[in-house]
Amino acid sequence: MALNYIWIFFILAASLLALVQWLATGDSQPLADVVSSTFSSAKTGFEISLYLTGVLTLWMGLMRIGEAGGVVGSLSKIISPLFTRLFPQVPKGHTAYGAMTMNIAANMLGLDNAATPMGLKAMKELQSLNPRPEVATNAQIMFLVLNTSGLTIIPVTIMAYRQQCGAANPADIFLPLLLATFCSTIAGLVAVAVVQRINLFNRVVLAYLGGALLLVAAIVYGVSGLPRERVEDLSVGISSAILLSVISLFIIMAMRRRVNVYDTFIDGAKDGFKTAVSIIPFLVAMLVAVGMFRASGALDYALSAIRWCVEALGADSRFVDALPTAFMKPLSGSGARGFMIECMNTCGPDSFAGRLSCLFQGAADTTFFILAVYFGSVGIKDTRHAVACGLIADLAGVVAAILIAYFFFG
């Protein structure tokens, strides 16, 4: 239901704003831009779906090998004590735990291509427990919000973009981003826990969260004194090594169990192809709405209003230049990436706004994109409190990013 109202708002707001501009100025260009965006966004949606088809086919096949070899089940047992308390409706030992674990781990390592198919696999497994197929369950909402909070430990892609834009130290956002995304994840978890009345003060939950906090602190301490080149090499090397190790482990364990690895891969890959095709309508619908809203200039008006309010209060308005990335990130990952690169090119990669835009890019995930794709893949129409809790996580990440940027970069 929430997506329905949001979709209608974007479409009507963009259309009405373009019509008002045309009537006020006689210039038909705003109308042409909005209409053109519908076609370009539809094309983009299909192209993304086409790309996801290959990725989903690959990783759903690998996931099937991991399940047959017992690796996914072993990983789920490790995280099971925490997940059984965060997802009380999911039975112990359910296959959804393994897929959720792999998804969250992939996101933490910045492996977006691997995270999406694992997330779709997890959503499909959770849907098998759904008594009302068109209404999101508590477990699905908790998983989705944890996913959209975008906890990232190694932001490889962002550092690569900073390198391309000529940053003196592309890795200087490593520690600030780690702190910002951690705040986003905690905020999302607390928001869902409050709505679903989940006890986060349970000893097991506190132990896992405390362990995660210590891990973040250890990473911050471990890399704080390393030179830029070493941090980049470690980030790329660790991410790639873990990814290849997971693939190899899946295959080796399946061979030990005398599994026909190739046939198992093909069976899983077929499911991945079917899933990719099923999400095309949902993805195109959301991207068209976002594209129209952006093309109408509504985002520019919002930024001008914010800048005026901040300066009227006598506060520093440097962060406003980076806000387009923050506004666009919940709507479109590619759009936010474009704003981030544009901000670095315009203001400079080592400027306050340039660095902050990178923090915005990594502090959260594409909430509405994930809602459309993940829920759309299993036919959920009533998202309940998923949108609100996801946006709370996004807002926490944005606020944390601004405060952390001022602390680190002045």
Side-chain angles (χ1 to χ4, degrees), residues 270-338:
K270 290 178 180 178
D271 288 340
F273 181 82
K274 294 177 182 177
T275 300
V277 172
S278 68
I279 67 176
I280 292 177
F282 301 93
L283 185 57
V284 169
M286 183 54 66
L287 289 183
V288 166
V290 171
M292 290 178 64
F293 188 76
R294 179 183 181 184
S296 69
L299 192 60
D300 295 331
Y301 287 115
L303 287 177
S304 298
I306 292 173
R307 188 186 303 277
W308 183 86
C309 292
V310 170
E311 292 177 350
L313 294 173
D316 187 352
S317 63
R318 287 182 298 162
F319 72 91
V320 177
D321 291 326
L323 283 182
T325 305
F327 289 158
M328 185 56 61
K329 189 58 190 286
L331 304 172
S332 167
S334 59
R337 190 179 304 113

Side-chain angles (χ1 to χ4, degrees), residues 28 63 91 155 183 188 212 352:
S28 62
M63 279 291 291
C183 293
F352 180 84

Side-chain angles (χ1 to χ4, degrees), residues 37-347:
S37 71
T38 62
F39 295 99
S40 61
S41 297
K43 178 184 176 182
T44 300
F46 180 76
E47 289 174 345
I48 292 175
S49 300
L50 189 62
Y51 167 73
L52 282 177
T53 301
V55 175
L56 287 170
T57 300
L58 170 65
W59 283 99
M60 294 290 266
L62 291 172
M63 279 291 291
R64 186 66 61 86
I65 296 174
E67 291 173 351
V71 178
V72 174
S74 299
L75 290 173
S76 66
K77 289 180 181 178
I78 296 174
I79 202 70
S80 179
L82 172 64
F83 276 10
T84 53
R85 287 161 176 81
L86 297 183
F87 304 92
Q89 297 84 13
V90 181
K92 292 183 179 180
H94 195 273
T95 53
Y97 285 128
M100 288 191 292
T101 301
M102 296 295 291
N103 168 264
I104 293 174
N107 275 326
M108 291 173 67
L109 295 170
L111 305 174
D112 298 337
N113 293 343
T116 300
M118 294 174 185
L120 291 172
K121 171 70 172 176
M123 191 61 68
K124 183 177 180 180
E125 295 293 344
L126 292 173
Q127 182 70 355
S128 67
L129 302 171
N130 193 348
R132 295 188 294 170
E134 293 188 354
V135 180
T137 65
N138 284 349
Q140 288 173 318
I141 293 173
M142 173 64 83
F143 169 66
L144 187 134
V145 172
L146 289 178
N147 196 290
T148 60
S149 65
L151 179 60
T152 303
I153 293 179
I154 306 177
V156 176
T157 56
I158 295 177
M159 290 191 291
Y161 283 121
R162 287 184 55 74
Q163 176 72 46
Q164 292 174 357
C165 290
N169 183 3
D172 59 6
I173 49 87
F174 182 92
L175 300 182
L177 179 55
L178 181 61
L179 297 175
T181 188
F182 187 74
C183 293
S184 174
T185 299
I186 293 299
L189 175 61
V190 171
V192 178
V194 169
V195 175
Q196 298 182 3
R197 299 182 180 180
I198 296 174
N199 180 20
L200 294 181
F201 294 99
N202 180 279
R203 287 181 296 178
V204 174
V205 176
L206 290 177
Y208 274 89
L209 294 181
L213 182 60
L214 289 176
L215 175 62
V216 171
I219 293 174
V220 170
Y221 178 79
V223 303
S224 58
L226 295 178
R228 168 179 59 86
E229 294 80 6
R230 184 57 178 162
V231 173
E232 291 181 45
D233 289 342
L234 280 176
S235 298
V236 175
I238 291 174
S239 297
S240 302
I242 290 177
L243 181 59
L244 293 176
S245 298
V246 167
I247 295 174
S248 300
L249 182 62
F250 280 5
I251 295 175
I252 292 172
M253 294 302 294
M255 291 175 61
R256 287 190 58 187
R257 290 193 173 189
R258 301 182 183 279
V259 174
N260 188 319
V261 177
Y262 180 78
D263 287 345
T264 303
F265 174 86
I266 294 299
D267 289 339
K270 290 178 180 178
D271 288 340
F273 181 82
K274 294 177 182 177
T275 300
V277 172
S278 68
I279 67 176
I280 292 177
F282 301 93
L283 185 57
V284 169
M286 183 54 66
L287 289 183
V288 166
V290 171
M292 290 178 64
F293 188 76
R294 179 183 181 184
S296 69
L299 192 60
D300 295 331
Y301 287 115
L303 287 177
S304 298
I306 292 173
R307 188 186 303 277
W308 183 86
C309 292
V310 170
E311 292 177 350
L313 294 173
D316 187 352
S317 63
R318 287 182 298 162
F319 72 91
V320 177
D321 291 326
L323 283 182
T325 305
F327 289 158
M328 185 56 61
K329 189 58 190 286
L331 304 172
S332 167
S334 59
R337 190 179 304 113
F339 277 129
M340 176 187 71
I341 295 172
E342 181 182 10
C343 184
M344 286 193 287
N345 288 333
T346 302
C347 302

